[in-house]
Amino acid sequence: TTHALAGFVLGLLAVVAGSSMLTVGEISLEVSELPETVAIDSTGARIATAGAVGGVLHVFDSDGGLLIEVTLGGRPVRVLFSPDGGTIAVALSAAHEVALVDLDGGVRRVAVSGVPDGLAFSSDGGSLYASDVYHGALTAIDVEAGVVTATFVVGESSGALLVR
């Protein structure tokens, strides 16, 4: 059970995405069109979503208050908080880029190989990995510098990622 948005990480949290609505527990939030992705930071204090059709990233606090709204375009299909919660990575599938969004709303865009889908940060948050869902490339990004450090061929249809 969950009480409103408070304590995202406590208990089971049901998130329902509508055409332009995100329902989290008992609260409904107006968001960008077709919110295909949702992420919660490691403290449970913030939730992020981006509309794949609307192209806007929204970040809310645990009371449902809007913290950040950034127009990105590029069909955002995944969002992920860095381990320290200071950066939000957004896979922009149509733009062939990953956006690195700071909590103040600053955006750095990094061109990646193919069509980015899966995202994973290294445990220290210094590197971000983005998978190419169609052609099997894995791009490594230095988060602080906002540059690609390596690209690997890992096999066709690589999507979800997990870093240990």
Side-chain angles (χ1 to χ4, degrees):
T1 58
T2 303
H3 297 66
L5 294 180
F8 292 127
V9 294
L10 301 175
L12 178 64
L13 177 66
V15 178
V16 179
S19 63
S20 295
M21 294 296 291
L22 183 69
T23 302
V24 183
E26 302 167 1
I27 296 178
S28 291
L29 305 166
E30 189 171 329
V31 296
S32 184
E33 188 176 356
L34 191 59
E36 187 175 310
T37 184
V38 176
I40 299 170
D41 77 354
S42 63
T43 68
R46 293 180 297 248
I47 187 169
T49 187
V53 174
V56 178
L57 170 72
H58 290 98
V59 181
F60 299 94
D61 65 20
S62 60
D63 294 321
L66 181 63
L67 298 173
I68 301 172
E69 179 176 295
V70 179
T71 300
L72 298 170
R75 191 169 174 78
V77 293
R78 301 289 167 263
V79 298
L80 182 66
F81 282 96
S82 62
D84 69 0
T87 302
I88 304 161
V90 184
L92 304 175
S93 65
H96 310 285
E97 295 176 328
V98 170
L100 300 172
V101 182
D102 299 320
L103 291 181
D104 64 2
V107 178
R108 296 170 287 147
R109 296 170 83 101
V110 181
V112 296
S113 182
V115 179
D117 184 43
L119 299 171
F121 279 97
S122 60
S123 59
D124 66 2
S127 295
L128 173 72
Y129 304 96
S131 66
D132 167 14
V133 71
Y134 293 115
H135 302 99
L138 178 69
T139 302
I141 299 168
D142 178 308
V143 175
E144 185 176 334
V147 297
V148 171
T149 57
T151 302
F152 306 95
V153 176
V154 295
E156 205 170 311
S157 298
S158 58
L161 295 175
L162 178 63
V163 173
R164 182 173 175 206

